[in-house]
Amino acid sequence: MWILSGKEISSRLLLGTAQYPSLQIMQDAIRESCTNVVTVSLRRQISAENAGRNFWDYIKSLNCHVLPNTAGCRNAEDAVTTAEMAREIFHTNWIKLEVIGDDYNLQPDPFGLVKAAEMLVKKGFEVFPYCTDDFVLCQRLLDAGCKILMPWAAPIGSGKGILNPYALETLRARLPDATLIIDAGIGKPSHAAQAMEMGFDAVLLNTAVSLAKNPPKMAAAFRDAVRAGRAGYEAGIMQERNMAQPSTPVIDTPFWHLQEAGK
């Protein structure tokens, strides 16, 4: 168990709900992932009346914490309005804050992001801002009242994995008390394991599961990768070396010779 914004969470894998082949496959994948938190977008989910009702019914049946997001918003004011709507619909003060500044790589607008975060914190929201790995931006978001940050590994949906390990390692080292969740760019279970081995608190992903040939099986693979990465981090990852070092003793007599001599 770990604590996320005052709630006990058993899984460090958070999962999105978009782009699945069917609602049933989405539900199966989420269950296989063992996640406790799913993120949903008010702007991008199914909008048809009956389909929309079915979608919300499936989400409710999962008994997960819902993390609404402001995907599709391009300025602070729209993001705040969407967040307020989400709070009314889902009865939660959690909000994954997205303010997109570029259409090519869907990079967050840092200025709009900080502005929206300040406004939402004042309105009583627990803000999960989707941001880049820029340390100064992350510090400004913390100064605005955010306790949780969601830096990207790579652009949304790219599947490129961790493009800038140095920047993310710097964030983890410089912000030891902040909850840091890697969000966006994760494409393989090994990417998720790497993020967890670096000491990040959790991983949020969507496309790598929803567009897989077998989403439930891929969700299970990410589930296991996140667990393995976290276990490795807690056990203590060995430091890399520039030179080889033998793993067996080379001084004096090997231990098995000593055992034979004692017979």
Side-chain angles (χ1 to χ4, degrees):
M1 288 287 184
W2 65 297
I3 303 300
L4 178 62
S5 184
K7 300 182 186 297
E8 284 193 352
I9 305 295
S10 62
S11 172
R12 292 178 182 268
L13 173 62
L14 288 64
L15 209 57
T17 56
Q19 298 182 301
Y20 286 89
S22 71
L23 292 177
Q24 184 61 55
I25 291 175
M26 177 196 73
Q27 188 179 55
D28 292 343
I30 290 172
R31 285 180 171 154
E32 282 295 318
S33 74
C34 293
T35 186
N36 297 139
V37 180
V38 295
T39 183
V40 298
S41 169
L42 293 184
R43 289 180 170 231
R44 291 181 176 168
Q45 295 297 354
I46 304 167
S47 57
E49 184 177 353
N50 290 334
R53 187 182 306 114
N54 289 338
F55 175 80
W56 301 127
D57 288 342
Y58 270 80
I59 292 297
K60 291 175 183 177
S61 71
L62 295 168
N63 294 319
C64 292
H65 297 290
V66 175
L67 175 60
N69 67 58
T70 64
C73 293
R74 301 188 176 275
N75 58 65
E77 291 73 20
D78 283 351
V80 170
T81 299
T82 301
E84 290 176 327
M85 292 171 58
R87 181 160 60 180
E88 291 297 321
I89 293 171
F90 297 107
H91 307 289
T92 178
N93 70 332
W94 285 12
I95 191 72
K96 180 189 171 191
L97 176 60
E98 297 185 29
V99 181
I100 300 302
D102 181 72
D103 288 330
Y104 180 75
N105 62 9
L106 299 180
Q107 181 171 331
D109 174 357
F111 308 102
L113 192 64
V114 172
K115 180 181 178 181
E118 290 175 340
M119 296 167 68
L120 289 169
V121 168
K122 290 178 180 178
K123 291 176 177 288
F125 283 89
E126 185 72 74
V127 181
F128 295 58
Y130 161 63
C131 56
T132 64
D133 52 20
D134 182 87
F135 172 74
V136 175
L137 170 59
C138 289
Q139 186 60 65
R140 293 291 182 272
L141 289 167
L142 293 176
D143 292 342
C146 299
K147 302 180 183 67
I148 299 159
L149 302 177
M150 305 186 79
W152 69 0
I156 294 173
S158 67
K160 290 181 175 294
I162 297 175
L163 292 182
N164 195 340
Y166 170 76
L168 291 176
E169 288 169 353
T170 298
L171 286 184
R172 183 67 285 176
R174 296 287 302 277
L175 306 174
D177 298 325
T179 297
L180 302 180
I181 301 172
I182 293 296
D183 176 22
I186 297 296
K188 303 174 184 177
S190 58
H191 296 160
Q194 180 185 5
M196 298 306 296
E197 288 171 355
M198 294 167 67
F200 285 87
D201 296 283
V203 170
L204 189 153
L205 55 93
N206 189 151
T207 308
V209 170
S210 65
L211 298 187
K213 292 181 180 178
N214 187 326
K217 191 170 185 176
M218 185 62 77
F222 274 104
R223 174 198 67 207
D224 295 341
V226 167
R227 288 174 179 171
R230 182 64 185 183
Y233 170 73
E234 291 175 342
I237 303 294
M238 71 171 286
Q239 296 298 310
E240 293 184 5
R241 302 170 178 145
N242 292 325
M243 297 177 61
Q245 181 170 327
S247 57
T248 55
V250 294
I251 299 174
D252 298 327
T253 306
F255 70 93
W256 56 86
H257 285 185
L258 295 175
Q259 289 177 331
E260 292 175 357
K263 290 182 179 179

